[in-house]
């Protein structure tokens, strides 16, 4: 049975108090809408339909080809929003799953249960409900004495007795498509807010003697809708906890899950320990038995097994097995620490490789450099790789010993096992096994030029 997922997103999101559309606010490192789209993709191969309001250009640009857009020019309620989709979908699916873009915490498992229940349902609607002490203005689920659902009472029109009900409408539903498309245009206008309520379909089905089923969510936090930035932070916490628990259950130690921020696409190997205040972001992979953090940010990096990273920032870098960084190291784009390489305090590496077992212990900057195996980079060594217009390369041979405070004026090569003296300013190539020392700086005053 073909299933299509319809995501409602035409609301203004005024309570976010933001120039950015609500569904583009970042959550777990991605725009909020991406969570619903990922869920849709996991549930069905059909392209999701996204209902947007007028002027949702930024949303269209972010989502691109991942959804079919339907515009709701006037915001006349959830029933009216779904009616806009009829032209695109009628006759094209058996089931229609409807949910909202501002409910990013709904899990694939829960929605699958909803769809499965509707497949078994002789009637046209199965909806997701939740039990909660705080009704948050949600629609109340009204059942008869036998427990069958008879209607959803919206807060604006509910009686005091209905208002006391604590089973609430999450606003996720699965419909039999034919029934939905033949009834959605008949929803009456609801007076207090002058809106067409999608929820009125429940009463309409019951009036026809058809059965409406409800699946109660196991975990009410899934149905947290996001209307304010307070809700956004709550949702962030829920997502963070889910991701962290998943890694802990696969064998990663997270010392303090409340202060560990792992984005959805990150992977971590068994027996790795993540210390507090650590952010693992983007397409990062971390191997087994590493120690990462505390106070560390890793973005788009590949880290091997048994590595250590302490209080450092790593971006688009690679660490092979047993390499270590920190405290206070900065690996920038294109940095690579080969097996067992060490970069200590206040090191910075950009587009550079430290060969296997090479060491760079203190206060150094290497840019566009290639350092051979087991070389030692003395404290304060700097590559002068930029001449103001172009970047130049520095090559340091295996086993070389670079003295403290050496300036390597690129392009330049230092041979294998070569040495440089403390404070050397190296402007010419140094052959294998040779020693370079001294400072060639000479001063040319302005009058000499003339
Ligand atoms: C809706 C439900 C309510 C449920 C609650 C859960 C109705 C009538 N009520 O109420 O039972 O408990 O959600 O959050 O459906 N939207 C459009 N176009 C519109 C109106 C809304 O696309 O014209 C979208 C919004 O962007 C939002 C979703 O539909 O994502 C829900 O709309 P909202 O106005 O927040 O509905 P509620 O009144 O909260
Ligand atoms: Ca709402």
């Amino acid at each position: 049975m073909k299933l299509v997922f319809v995501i409602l997103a035409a609301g203004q999101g005024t309570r976010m108090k933001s120039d950015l559309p609500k569904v583009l606010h970042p959550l777990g490192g991605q725009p909020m809408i991406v969570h619903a789209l990922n869920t849709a993709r996991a549930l069905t191969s059909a392209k999701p339909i996204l209902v947007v309001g007028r002027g949702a250009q930024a949303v269209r640009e972010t989502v691109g080809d991942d959804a079919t857009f339907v515009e709701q020019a006037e915001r006349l309620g959830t029933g009216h929003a779904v009616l806009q989709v009829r032209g695109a979908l009628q006759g094209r699916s058996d089931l229609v799953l409807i949910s909202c873009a501002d409910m990013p915490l709904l899990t694939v498992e829960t929605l699958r249960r909803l769809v499965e229940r509707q497949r078994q349902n002789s009637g046209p609607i199965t909806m997701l409900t939740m039990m909660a002490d705080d009704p948050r203005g949600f629609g109340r689920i009204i059942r008869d004495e036998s427990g069958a659902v008879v209607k959803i009472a919206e807060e604006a029109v509910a009686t005091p007795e209905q208002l006391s009900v604590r089973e609430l409408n999450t606003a996720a539903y699965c419909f039999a498509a034919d029934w939905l498309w033949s009834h959605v245009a008949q929803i009456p206008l609801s007076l207090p807010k002058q809106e067409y309520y999608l929820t009125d379909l429940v009463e309409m089905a019951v009036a026809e003697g058809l059965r409406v089923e409800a699946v109660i969510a196991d975990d009410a936090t899934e149905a947290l809708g996001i209307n304010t930035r307070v809700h956004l932070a709550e949702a962030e916490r829920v997502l963070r906890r889910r991701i962290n628990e998943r890694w802990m259950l696969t064998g990663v130690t997270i010392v303090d899950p409340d202060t560990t921020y792992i984005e959805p696409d990150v992977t971590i190997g068994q027996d790795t320990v993540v210390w507090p205040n650590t952010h693992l972001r983007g397409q990062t992979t971390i191997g087994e038995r590493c120690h990462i953090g505390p106070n560390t940010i890793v973005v788009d990096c590949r880290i091997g097994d048994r590595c250590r990273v302490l209080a450092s920032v790593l971006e688009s870098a690679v660490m092979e097995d047993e390499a270590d960084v920190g405290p206070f190291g900065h690996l920038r784009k294109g940095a690579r620490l080969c097996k067992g390489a060490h970069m200590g305090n206040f090191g910075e590496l950009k587009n550079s490789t430290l060969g296997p077992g090479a060491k760079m212990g203190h206060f150094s900057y290497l840019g566009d450099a290639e350092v051979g195996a087991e070389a030692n980079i003395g404290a304060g060594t700097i590559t002068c790789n930029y001449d103001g217009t172009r970047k130049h390369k520095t090559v340091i041979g295996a086993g070389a010993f670079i003295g403290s405070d050496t300036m390597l004026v690129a392009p330049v090569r230092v041979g294998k096992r070569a040495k440089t003296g403390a404070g050397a300013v190296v402007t010419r190539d140094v052959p294998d096994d040779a020693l370079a020392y001294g400072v060639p700086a000479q001063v040319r005053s302005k009058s000499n030029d003339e």
Side-chain angles (χ1 to χ4, degrees):
M1 277 212 271
K2 192 174 171 202
L3 171 73
V4 179
F5 195 178
V6 174
I7 304 166
L8 304 185
Q12 256 104 26
T14 41
R15 284 191 281 159
M16 293 296 280
K17 306 244 161 72
S18 177
D19 288 338
L20 190 66
K22 173 162 81 173
V23 299
L24 295 186
H25 275 259
L27 177 71
Q30 295 167 310
M32 193 190 299
I33 183 66
V34 172
H35 296 271
L37 294 171
N38 287 344
T39 305
R41 198 170 303 121
L43 283 163
T44 167
S45 55
K47 206 183 242 204
I49 308 274
L50 193 56
V51 181
V52 291
R54 197 182 284 168
Q57 196 50 34
V59 177
R60 288 173 191 260
E61 279 163 20
T62 303
V63 172
D65 247 5
D66 291 344
T68 301
F69 288 88
V70 169
E71 190 174 291
Q72 184 191 19
E74 276 179 294
R75 197 180 183 282
L76 297 177
T78 47
H80 180 259
V82 172
L83 178 60
Q84 311 311 302
V85 177
R86 188 170 68 170
L89 272 193
Q90 193 164 27
R92 305 232 169 126
S93 76
D94 306 297
L95 295 173
V96 180
L97 181 63
I98 299 179
S99 127
C100 307
D102 58 2
M103 293 175 56
L105 299 177
L106 281 176
T107 62
V108 173
E109 294 69 38
T110 297
L111 291 176
R112 218 171 252 150
R113 269 175 62 211
L114 188 66
V115 173
E116 283 316 311
R117 183 74 73 85
Q118 178 52 31
R119 282 187 211 278
Q120 312 297 325
N121 185 6
S122 58
I125 308 175
T126 302
M127 58 187 180
L128 183 69
T129 68
M130 65 190 249
M131 307 302 300
D133 294 334
D134 172 9
R136 297 170 80 113
F138 282 21
R140 314 296 205 274
I141 307 299
I142 310 304
R143 295 176 182 259
D144 66 15
E145 310 79 51
S146 72
V149 174
V150 293
K151 69 176 279 174
I152 301 174
E154 288 302 306
E155 196 165 84
V157 294
T159 64
E161 193 192 345
Q162 290 170 338
L163 286 176
S164 67
V165 171
R166 287 298 170 266
E167 184 180 3
L168 309 174
N169 177 28
T170 65
Y173 325 81
C174 188
F175 287 93
D178 290 345
W179 189 90
L180 174 65
W181 301 133
S182 63
H183 288 74
V184 69
Q186 295 163 26
I187 294 174
L189 187 66
S190 208
L191 289 177
K193 287 194 183 166
Q194 300 282 328
E195 283 190 6
Y196 297 94
Y197 288 162
L198 186 65
T199 46
D200 281 346
L201 288 173
V202 170
E203 219 177 334
M204 288 161 66
V206 171
E208 292 177 12
L210 301 172
R211 183 150 183 96
V212 174
E213 290 279 353
V215 168
I216 303 177
D218 294 331
D219 177 0
T221 54
E222 275 195 39
L224 278 181
I226 295 175
N227 296 313
T228 67
R229 296 191 204 223
V230 175
H231 299 153
L232 187 65
E234 282 171 18
E236 189 78 46
R237 199 177 314 122
V238 172
L239 267 191
R240 184 156 73 232
R241 198 178 59 217
R242 274 188 201 164
I243 292 174
N244 290 349
E245 282 179 7
R246 176 156 64 85
W247 289 115
M248 289 188 274
L249 292 173
T250 62
V252 174
T253 294
I254 296 180
V255 176
D256 181 10
D258 286 340
T259 61
T260 303
Y261 308 82
I262 303 175
E263 288 186 357
D265 293 341
V266 172
T267 65
I268 312 175
Q270 193 172 312
D271 289 319
T272 281
V273 180
V274 183
W275 293 89
N277 271 321
T278 292
H279 303 246
L280 305 177
R281 298 172 40 194
Q283 307 293 318
T284 290
T285 63
I286 296 174
E288 299 183 352
R289 287 195 269 157
C290 295
H291 281 258
I292 310 293
N295 301 337
T296 288
I297 300 171
V298 183
V299 188
D300 295 330
C301 290
R302 202 148 52 75
I303 298 180
D305 295 335
R306 300 176 299 281
C307 290
R308 288 177 173 264
V309 180
L310 171 60
S312 292
V313 176
L314 281 52
E315 301 156 297
S316 304
V318 175
M319 291 175 70
E320 295 180 9
D321 296 348
E322 284 151 38
D324 83 282
V325 173
F328 317 119
H330 190 184
L331 295 185
R332 292 169 54 205
K333 191 164 190 235
R336 183 182 197 99
L337 298 190
C338 295
K339 187 164 192 232
H342 160 75
M343 188 175 99
N345 325 264
F346 307 106
E348 175 181 342
L349 216 57
K350 188 223 72 179
N351 189 30
S352 294
T353 299
L354 277 190
K359 293 184 171 50
M360 169 172 150
H362 332 265
F363 304 106
S364 289
Y365 167 63
L366 297 186
D368 308 300
E370 222 171 83
V371 177
E374 304 293 334
N376 187 80
I377 308 296
T381 295
I382 301 284
T383 53
C384 311
N385 58 319
Y386 184 49
D387 62 14
T389 13
R390 293 196 308 144
K391 305 282 172 72
H392 300 282
K393 192 159 178 164
T394 301
V395 178
I396 297 171
F401 186 94
I402 308 298
S404 295
D405 216 11
T406 296
M407 302 288 129
L408 299 156
V409 183
V412 72
R413 290 177 160 265
V414 176
K416 294 180 187 141
R417 299 170 303 276
K419 291 185 177 168
T420 69
V425 175
V426 181
T427 56
R428 285 181 298 155
D429 290 355
V430 182
D432 292 352
D433 301 296
L435 170 68
Y437 61 96
V439 177
Q442 292 159 49
V443 178
R444 208 164 47 178
S445 68
K446 200 159 187 206
S447 55
N448 286 355
D449 269 353
E450 287 155 7

